[in-house]
Amino acid sequence: MSNTKPHPKFMEAMRKLKMMSEEERLSEENKELFEQAMKYAPLDIQPALIAIQKKYEQTYH
């Protein structure tokens, strides 16, 4: 993990996403929330989020 505190917008998005099922997280309705998490994610977390994004793209596109 990085030594800096995660951005509040990242923390907000992740808190909401954490309460959802995987299907809900990957849904079109939550795409904007997921993109917010990606935008503000610490660098060490971004690769995991990119992998999830690729799974979304394969599942829904």
Side-chain angles (χ1 to χ4, degrees):
M1 293 297 265
S2 64
N3 293 331
T4 59
K5 189 172 182 178
H7 193 284
K9 288 191 176 202
F10 169 75
M11 296 301 292
E12 174 191 0
M14 291 306 292
R15 185 176 59 251
K16 291 176 182 177
L17 290 167
K18 187 177 180 181
M19 293 187 291
M20 299 175 190
S21 69
E22 182 178 23
E23 186 175 302
E24 289 173 310
R25 283 191 290 262
L26 297 177
S27 72
E28 191 66 32
E29 296 90 37
N30 293 309
K31 185 178 181 183
E32 190 174 309
L33 186 61
F34 189 81
E35 287 174 354
Q36 176 181 320
M38 293 269 303
K39 182 176 181 180
Y40 293 101
L43 292 177
D44 58 336
I45 295 172
Q46 286 180 356
L49 293 176
I50 290 168
I52 293 168
Q53 184 179 41
K54 286 181 182 177
K55 183 175 184 176
Y56 166 82
E57 290 169 355
Q58 290 173 350
T59 303
Y60 292 99
H61 293 98

